[in-house]
Amino acid sequence: MTALRNALTAEEYEQQARGGRPEEGRWSMDQQLLAGISDGIREMQYILVVANSSGKGRKPRRPEPIRRPGVTSKPDREPMSDIAAERLFKLINGGAAGA
């Protein structure tokens, strides 16, 4: 692996660094755990900043989790059907006893 990396030109190395896709590689359990810990720390920092801000000014963006092998960045969800939306509306508004 090191020999392959050393054979790259500076431009090719830069392109690989910018366009790399870690979600297509393999990670060990240690790497998965470290990514989880890192995500947790970044989430706690975000919560700390939001909780201690006055509410004035820009709100910080929630941190995105580190990309992991085999996991897409954003799950693709189908929109809720009209029937499901109507059922949810009834449940929220006290219609659970009649369902």
Side-chain angles (χ1 to χ4, degrees):
M1 193 62 133
T2 303
L4 292 173
R5 186 177 61 233
N6 290 342
L8 294 174
T9 66
E11 293 81 23
E12 291 172 327
Y13 189 71
E14 180 69 23
Q15 182 181 8
Q16 288 290 326
R18 291 186 187 278
R21 291 176 288 216
E23 64 274 6
E24 293 180 2
R26 291 186 178 179
W27 281 14
S28 68
M29 182 58 75
D30 292 343
Q31 291 169 320
Q32 291 278 4
L33 291 171
L34 188 57
I37 291 169
S38 177
D39 288 343
I41 291 171
R42 291 171 58 213
E43 187 72 21
M44 291 301 294
Q45 288 174 330
Y46 167 78
I47 291 169
L48 183 67
V49 168
V50 170
N52 290 308
S53 67
S54 64
K56 299 176 184 173
R58 272 188 1 198
K59 208 175 175 186
R61 289 188 319 175
R62 178 172 242 115
E64 298 232 354
I66 294 174
R67 295 185 297 173
R68 290 165 173 79
V71 179
T72 58
S73 60
K74 293 184 180 178
D76 296 330
R77 293 187 183 179
E78 294 181 18
M80 185 180 286
S81 69
D82 292 337
I83 295 169
E86 183 64 31
R87 183 166 183 241
L88 181 61
F89 180 77
K90 286 180 182 177
L91 288 172
I92 290 172
N93 291 305

